[in-house]
Amino acid sequence: MVPVQELYEADFQRWVQETISALERQDFAHLDLQHLLEELAELGRSERKALTSNLLILLAHLLKLRVQGDAPETMQGSWLTSVAEQRQRVLFDLQETPSLRSYLEAAMEKAYPQARRLAIREGRLARLGVRVPEEGDYPLECPFDLGQILDEDFFDNSV
């Protein structure tokens, strides 16, 4: 039988099953605590990364709607669809893991500069007579507050 510490490297899924089994039996002597702690810490990081990633896309498309309000309706419709989807993902993450709310402000601060860069890059790809916005058209500071970002009914062309 492979020692549980070696099992982590050899067969991760089996390591997970063995760890669950040991926990269910309360057989703490046979737990690979070092790897278990690493995995639990990574789980928390991955949830924060997912929230930040969803916010990034949400903010980028809100920015595009704000800056490129004169874009064709089909483009705006695509951005609105993306906003609705990403907002739903963020709200779901917050519902499933309420403690992520304490990270929400930090996630916004982390995501906004990247969202701005993404919106600028995508804005430069405008074709077929669509106006290409200037970089300065995109605010350096997030123009949306948390309430607006999470409000499923938020967005009109007056933003």
Side-chain angles (χ1 to χ4, degrees), residues 10-50:
D11 186 344
F12 180 75
Q13 288 305 315
R14 187 161 159 230
W15 175 86
V16 168
Q17 292 169 349
E18 295 287 332
T19 299
I20 291 170
S21 179
L23 286 168
E24 288 174 339
R25 293 189 317 271
Q26 297 183 11
D27 183 5
F28 304 120
H30 289 98
L31 286 175
D32 177 3
L33 289 177
Q34 177 188 351
H35 287 121
L36 180 57
L37 290 171
E38 288 174 17
E39 289 299 320
L40 289 172
E42 181 56 35
L43 180 61
R45 280 192 294 274
S46 65
E47 285 188 338
R48 290 190 302 271
K49 283 181 191 175

Side-chain angles (χ1 to χ4, degrees), residues 3 13 32-33 38 43 48 52 59 66-67 69 80 94 108 114 117 128 131 140 147-149 155 159:
Q13 288 305 315
D32 177 3
L33 289 177
E38 288 174 17
L43 180 61
R48 290 190 302 271
T52 303
L59 289 168
R66 176 189 169 131
V67 172
L80 285 167
L94 295 174
M108 271 187 51
Q114 294 176 49
R117 284 193 296 277
L128 305 171
R131 178 183 64 84
L140 291 173
Q148 293 170 321
I149 291 166
F155 196 82
V159 215

Side-chain angles (χ1 to χ4, degrees), residues 55-56 58-64 66-67 87 104-117 137-150 154 159:
L55 276 172
L56 189 154
L58 173 57
L59 289 168
H61 288 150
L62 283 173
L63 271 175
K64 288 169 71 170
R66 176 189 169 131
V67 172
R87 183 178 281 139
L104 195 53
E105 194 74 40
M108 271 187 51
E109 289 174 18
K110 191 174 190 177
Y112 183 76
Q114 294 176 49
R116 181 178 181 269
R117 284 193 296 277
D137 293 341
Y138 299 88
L140 291 173
E141 299 294 322
C142 185
F144 314 109
D145 63 40
L146 267 176
Q148 293 170 321
I149 291 166
L150 298 178
F154 171 73
V159 215

